């Protein structure tokens, strides 16, 4: 039986099934990336809700696994060499899960690096920029009288959506015919931008053709629909 109590996080969110991969998360665009991947891959796992509304990601137990204080994080009791492995940062977790299973990533070296490239594109560009649009358009930032920050992030969001629109020309998914972790990394963010953040008009989403069709295809996947609500909000 894996000894998860070597990880302090397991004392605050104890495992009922310590032999399964442990997910510590909340259903945000970053959180659901890993939930969706796990549902797609069919790996046995146990989800623990780390309520960011209650600042639970800043507790000592969570920070012991993820010093960045952001969801998600995982412990795989059956990590490399059969030893438990803790990981944080959603992109790293997606890559780990894909390589652990040999799924959701191209098998050839060039395709593998290209897939990673698009995961990094989400992590370095789409996630941070779309998040700022949400802050200035929907949350406390909307009260700021100076609208130049909002315009800056809206313009950059339109540019990034244009990058995706161009990439998807002649492609069903980011990597072509194969659905990969590159798609999983971005689906939740694009969905939030036009849905939860309500910024569709702001970023001219309706002027696009390929990105909305890609989003619709992605959201139609049963594993995506399940993953969007994992862990369930209390």
């Amino acid at each position: 039986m894996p000894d998860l109590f070597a990880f302090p996080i397991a004392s605050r969110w104890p495992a009922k099934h310590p032999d399964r991969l442990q997910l510590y998360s909340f259903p945000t665009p970053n959180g659901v990336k890993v939930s969706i991947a796990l549902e797609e891959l069919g790996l046995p796992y146990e989800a623990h809700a780390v309520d960011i509304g209650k600042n639970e990601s800043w507790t000592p137990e969570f920070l012991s696994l993820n010093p960045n204080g952001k969801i998600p994080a995982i412990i795989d009791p059956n990590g490399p060499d059969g030893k438990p492995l803790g990981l944080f940062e959603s992109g790293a977790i997606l890559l780990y899960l894909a390589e652990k299973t040999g799924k959701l990533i191209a098998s050839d070296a060039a395709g593998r690096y290209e897939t990673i490239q698009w995961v990094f594109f989400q992590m370095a560009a789409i996630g941070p920029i779309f998040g700022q649009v949400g802050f200035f358009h929907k949350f406390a930032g909307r009260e700021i009288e100076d609208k130049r920050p909002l315009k800056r992030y809206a313009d950059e969001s339109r540019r990034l959506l244009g990058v995706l629109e161009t990439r998807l020309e002649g492609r069903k998914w980011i990597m072509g015919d194969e659905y990969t972790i590159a798609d999983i990394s971005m689906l939740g963010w694009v969905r939030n931008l036009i849905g939860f953040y309500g910024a569709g008009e702001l970023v001219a989403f309706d002027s696009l053709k390929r990105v909305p069709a890609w989003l619709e295809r992605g959201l139609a996947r049963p594993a995506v629909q399940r993953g969007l609500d994992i862990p369930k909000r209390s």
Side-chain angles (χ1 to χ4, degrees):
M1 184 70 69
D3 182 14
L4 295 184
F5 283 96
F7 297 87
I9 196 170
S11 64
R12 186 180 181 100
W13 290 279
K16 294 181 180 178
H17 306 282
D19 57 323
R20 301 179 187 177
L21 188 146
Q22 304 293 307
L23 170 65
Y24 307 92
S25 188
F26 202 65
T28 70
N30 276 336
V32 300
K33 283 186 283 187
V34 176
S35 302
I36 290 169
L38 288 166
E39 287 293 314
E40 292 279 7
L41 292 167
L43 285 171
Y45 72 100
E46 183 176 357
H48 305 276
V50 179
D51 193 333
I52 59 175
K54 298 177 181 177
N55 291 322
E56 289 184 342
S57 64
W58 298 105
T59 57
E61 294 88 353
F62 187 82
L63 290 170
S64 69
L65 180 57
N66 183 355
N68 194 32
K70 305 291 185 181
I71 51 96
I74 67 166
I75 298 173
D76 184 357
N78 302 298
D81 300 321
K83 298 178 181 178
L85 174 69
L87 284 176
F88 68 95
E89 293 299 338
S90 57
I93 297 171
L94 287 180
L95 180 58
Y96 171 72
L97 295 175
E99 294 197 330
K100 177 183 175 74
T101 59
K103 299 177 181 178
L104 297 177
I105 193 168
S107 56
D108 63 292
R112 175 180 174 274
Y113 284 115
E114 192 176 354
T115 307
I116 295 171
Q117 165 188 262
W118 286 100
V119 173
F120 283 10
F121 171 72
Q122 181 276 306
M123 294 173 65
I126 279 185
I129 297 298
F130 286 11
Q132 290 299 319
V133 168
F135 175 76
F136 285 103
H137 183 64
K138 182 180 176 66
F139 297 113
R142 70 181 184 275
E143 299 172 3
I144 298 174
E145 292 184 11
D146 186 348
K147 297 305 177 186
R148 285 175 295 181
L150 174 60
K151 183 179 186 305
R152 157 77 174 87
Y153 291 115
D155 288 348
E156 182 66 358
S157 293
R158 284 193 289 271
R159 186 189 72 80
L160 294 173
L161 288 169
V163 172
L164 283 183
E165 183 80 356
T166 300
R167 173 65 181 180
L168 287 165
E169 183 176 4
R171 292 181 172 90
K172 182 178 180 181
W173 303 109
I174 298 297
M175 289 299 296
D177 291 334
E178 291 190 24
Y179 171 84
T180 67
I181 56 173
D183 301 286
I184 292 173
S185 73
M186 295 186 228
L187 282 169
W189 277 110
V190 178
R191 172 180 177 263
N192 252 40
L193 181 70
I194 64 170
F196 183 66
Y197 295 159
E201 183 177 352
L202 182 68
V203 300
F205 191 78
D206 289 343
S207 69
L208 305 172
K209 294 181 180 180
R210 303 180 196 110
V211 173
W214 162 84
L215 179 63
E216 185 177 354
R217 282 193 295 274
L219 294 178
R221 296 178 70 89
V224 173
Q225 284 299 309
R226 294 193 301 270
L228 289 171
D229 194 35
I230 298 172
K232 290 187 178 296
R233 297 171 184 263
S234 57

